[in-house]
Structure formats: structure tokens, C-alpha cells
Amino acid sequence: MRERRASQGVRRAREFEAFVAGAAGRLLHTATLLTAEPRDASPRARRLLTLTLARTYASWDRLHGEDPYDCARRELAARFQRSAWHQYGSFGRRRTSPDHVLARLTPQERLILVLRLYEGVAEEQTAALLGLPAERVRSICARAMATLLHPPRGPAPAPLEVAPS
């Protein structure tokens, strides 16, 4: 019995290592987009990924034929949503890195935009994942795209003063 459990543990570890080798880079990029941190310095994204992978490993035996990447992506989104809710208070605005283009968006807008456009998750699936109506997901995504495509303009330039002659 011990030998059987040991061999199952080894098999499980190998399967998970292969999954991480193939998916960790994309999941880290997704986490970096969600946190709007620079690629070279992304401690929140790395922590988010580490916690997500730990949870995925803990539930590895219960996947039963499900796509492990899809499960990890759902866990990443849920963990980001919870942390953003607690950290920002009802998805309020707080800029993480003013240089990052996604920093102009609220965490909820970033989450929906990343799931819809970067990850290619369908609108209905995104809505179900976040517990929102599909129409709300559509409007948030449109608003986020408008914010990115048409950023607010800076202050108007000062009028030129004509020197007296």
C-alpha cells in the first residue's frame, strides 16, 4: 500500500512539474498584467502566481480530466479579485505603476480585459467566473477599451504671453 501511494505521489509530482514548465510563463504574464506591475519587478504578480500554483497542486487529484490551465486561470482570477477587493475596497482606483498602460484601469476592468482579450475567455464564461451578468462584463470591457484607446488629455498648455514692444 505504501509503495502504491509513493508511486502515485511521484506520478502526481511529475505531472504537476510538467504542467508548471509549460504554463507558468503565461500565467506569470497574466498575473503581471492583472497587477499592472513592470515585467522586471513584479513581486505581487509572483506571489499571486505562487499562491495559485500551490492551490492548483493541492487540488491536482480532483481535476478528473479538467484542463489544469483552465483551473489555474480561474484560481488566479479569483485570488486577484479577492485581493483587489480587500486591498482597494470595492475595486476602487489605486495606481500601481504609473508607467504601465493598464494602471489607468480599475482592478475589475483589468481583470475583465485580461480574461477577455489576453486569455480569450468567452464573455459568458467571464461573467460566470466573476458572478456578473454578461451585459455588465460587455460594458466594463468596452469602457476599459475606451479608456486605453482614448486616454484623458493632460492639462491645457498655458497661453503664450506676448511681450510688450
Side-chain angles (χ1 to χ4, degrees), residues 58-161:
S59 63
W60 191 257
D61 291 334
R62 293 185 299 267
L63 293 180
H64 300 296
E66 282 187 70
D67 181 17
Y69 184 82
D70 189 43
C71 293
R73 181 178 53 218
R74 280 195 315 260
E75 176 63 28
L76 183 72
R79 191 167 288 279
F80 174 75
Q81 187 178 18
R82 282 190 306 271
S83 70
W85 182 268
H86 292 295
Q87 192 170 15
Y88 300 106
S90 303
F91 284 112
R93 291 191 186 268
R94 178 177 165 196
R95 303 202 181 215
T96 54
S97 172
D99 299 334
H100 200 286
V101 68
L102 295 178
R104 287 185 246 148
L105 303 176
T106 66
Q108 185 180 42
E109 290 171 336
R110 278 198 311 267
L111 179 58
I112 290 173
L113 202 65
V114 168
L115 286 174
R116 291 281 296 121
L117 300 181
Y118 180 71
E119 287 291 324
V121 178
E123 192 173 273
E124 293 79 19
Q125 289 176 318
T126 302
L129 178 66
L130 302 178
L132 298 171
E135 296 79 24
R136 180 82 176 127
V137 169
R138 188 179 310 118
S139 68
I140 291 172
C141 190
R143 183 177 63 227
M145 286 301 300
T147 301
L148 292 178
L149 293 174
H150 308 289
R153 296 182 184 186
L160 295 174
E161 294 184 24

Side-chain angles (χ1 to χ4, degrees), residues 13-27 53 60:
R14 284 188 185 146
E15 287 175 356
F16 186 74
E17 286 174 9
F19 165 71
V20 170
R26 184 171 175 128
L27 286 169
L53 290 176
W60 191 257

Side-chain angles (χ1 to χ4, degrees), residues 34-57:
L34 290 173
T35 58
E37 294 177 312
R39 282 188 193 180
D40 54 345
S42 55
R44 287 182 47 232
R46 290 179 186 281
R47 178 166 169 73
L48 188 63
L49 176 63
T50 301
L51 294 171
T52 297
L53 290 176
R55 176 68 181 248
T56 304
Y57 183 71

